[in-house]
C-alpha cells in the first residue's frame, strides 16, 4: 500500500479560504436575523430617552438620559455595521482609477495620522489602475483596514498604502509596523466584532466589513503577520 501523499501548501490554503468563506456566509445570515430583532428595541429606547430629556430640567437626570441616548445610538451604529455585513448596498460600479480611491482615503486619514505622530503614506503605480468597481464602497473597505492599522499603532509607527496591477488583477496593500496578529488570532480576524485587543490590536468590525465589500466585487482579502513584522493586508480585485 502506497503511503498517503502529503497535502500541498496550495491545497491547504484553498481549504482554509473555503472554510473561512463558508463560516462568514453563515455568520452573514445570523447577523441579518439578529439585527432586525435588536434594532427595533434600540430605536424605542433612544426615542424614549430623547422624549424624557426634553421634559427634564434636573441636571443629574438630564445627564443620565443623555448617557442612555448615546449608548442606544452607539449600539444602533454597531447594528448598522452588522447590517452592512449581512446585506450590503447594491454595488454601483463604474470605471475608476484605484489610485484615486487610495489617495482619497489617505487625505481623509491624514489629520488623524498627524495627531498621533504616525507616518501615513501611499505608493501608487505611475499609470492609472482602472477597474470596474464601486469607488465609494472600496474607499470604505480600504479606510477600514488603514484605521485598524492606526488603532494598532496608537502613537508613532508607520502605515503604507500601495497600489499595483497586472493584466488581470489590481492590488491594494496596507502595511504597518505595529504589534502584529498572533497565529492563534489570525483565523478570526474577519469575524464581525472579533477583538484582538489583548494582543495590542483592536480588530472590531473593520476587517469583516472590508472582506464583505471586496468579495462582493469578486476579489479577495488576505492578512499576513510574520512574527515581529507588523501586518500586511492585501486586497486583490479583478480587472475588467
Amino acid at each position: 500500500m502506497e503511503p498517503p501523499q502529503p497535502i500541498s501548501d496550495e491545497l491547504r490554503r484553498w481549504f482554509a479560504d473555503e472554510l473561512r468563506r463558508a463560516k462568514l456566509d453563515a455568520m452573514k445570515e445570523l447577523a441579518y436575523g439578529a439585527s432586525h430583532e435588536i434594532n427595533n428595541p434600540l430605536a424605542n429606547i433612544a426615542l424614549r430617552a430623547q422624549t424624557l430629556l426634553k421634559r427634564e430640567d434636573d441636571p443629574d437626570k438630564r445627564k443620565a438620559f443623555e448617557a442612555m441616548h448615546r449608548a442606544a445610538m452607539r449600539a444602533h451604529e454597531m447594528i448598522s455595521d452588522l447590517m452592512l455585513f449581512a446585506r450590503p448596498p447594491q454595488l454601483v460600479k463604474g470605471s475608476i482609477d484605484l489610485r484615486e480611491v487610495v489617495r482619497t482615503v489617505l487625505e481623509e486619514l491624514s489629520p488623524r495620522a498627524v495627531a498621533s505622530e504616525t507616518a501615513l503614506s501611499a505608493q501608487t503605480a505611475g499609470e492609472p489602475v482602472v477597474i470596474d468597481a464601486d469607488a465609494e464602497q472600496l474607499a470604505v473597505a480600504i479606510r477600514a483596514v488603514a484605521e485598524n492599522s492606526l488603532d494598532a499603532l496608537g502613537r508613532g509607527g508607520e502605515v503604507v498604502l500601495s497600489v499595483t496591477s497586472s493584466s488581470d488583477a489590481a492590488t491594494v496593500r496596507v502595511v504597518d509596523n505595529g504589534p502584529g496578529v498572533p497565529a492563534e488570532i489570525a483565523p478570526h480576524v474577519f469575524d464581525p466584532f472579533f477583538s484582538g485587543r489583548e494582543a495590542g490590536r483592536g480588530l472590531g468590525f473593520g476587517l469583516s466589513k472590508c472582506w464583505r465589500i471586496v468579495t462582493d466585487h469578486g476579489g479577495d482579502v488576505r492578512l499576513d503577520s510574520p512574527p515581529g513584522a507588523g501586518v500586511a493586508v492585501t486586497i486583490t480585485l479583478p480587472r475588467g
Side-chain angles (χ1 to χ4, degrees), residues 91-171:
L91 296 178
V92 181
K93 289 187 174 183
S95 181
I96 67 168
D97 184 351
L98 194 55
R99 302 176 309 164
E100 294 303 320
V101 177
V102 168
R103 288 167 185 161
T104 297
V105 171
L106 189 73
E107 290 175 4
E108 291 174 349
L109 295 181
S110 286
R112 177 180 171 182
V114 170
S116 61
E117 299 178 354
T118 300
L120 177 66
S121 62
Q123 300 172 353
T124 59
E127 297 295 324
V129 179
V130 179
I131 61 173
D132 185 37
D134 185 319
E136 184 175 342
Q137 289 203 40
L138 281 185
V140 170
I142 296 168
R143 182 166 55 247
V145 179
E147 286 178 333
N148 181 60
S149 289
L150 291 172
D151 286 343
L153 290 166
R155 181 166 291 276
E158 182 179 21
V159 181
V160 179
L161 287 71
S162 63
V163 181
T164 57
S165 65
S166 63
S167 58
D168 59 352
T171 301

Side-chain angles (χ1 to χ4, degrees), residues 5 30 38 96 138 141 144 171 189 195 203:
Q5 296 296 314
L30 176 63
I38 297 172
I96 67 168
L138 281 185
T171 301
V189 295
S195 176
L203 299 174

Side-chain angles (χ1 to χ4, degrees), residues 149-222:
S149 289
L150 291 172
D151 286 343
L153 290 166
R155 181 166 291 276
E158 182 179 21
V159 181
V160 179
L161 287 71
S162 63
V163 181
T164 57
S165 65
S166 63
S167 58
D168 59 352
T171 301
V172 178
R173 279 173 58 84
V174 180
V175 180
D176 69 60
N177 60 350
V181 175
E184 64 271 19
I185 289 177
H188 304 287
V189 295
F190 297 105
D191 295 356
F193 300 116
F194 176 79
S195 176
R197 293 190 189 278
E198 68 276 9
R201 183 176 291 265
L203 299 174
F205 192 81
L207 292 184
S208 59
K209 184 159 54 176
C210 172
W211 178 88
R212 192 72 174 92
I213 293 171
V214 171
T215 54
D216 275 1
H217 278 82
D220 180 61
V221 55
R222 186 180 306 280

Side-chain angles (χ1 to χ4, degrees), residues 45-74:
I45 292 170
L47 181 60
R48 181 62 59 88
Q50 271 190 319
T51 301
L52 293 172
L53 186 60
K54 290 177 181 178
R55 300 174 180 173
E56 187 56 62
D57 295 324
D58 183 88
D60 291 335
K61 290 182 180 180
R62 286 187 62 84
K63 287 181 181 179
F65 291 140
E66 287 171 354
M68 184 188 302
H69 184 261
R70 283 196 303 271
M73 293 307 297
R74 181 174 179 273

Side-chain angles (χ1 to χ4, degrees), residues 28 82-91 137 209 212-213 216:
K28 174 190 70 176
L82 198 58
M83 284 293 290
L84 185 146
F85 177 76
R87 291 287 189 275
Q90 187 72 28
L91 296 178
Q137 289 203 40
K209 184 159 54 176
R212 192 72 174 92
I213 293 171
D216 275 1

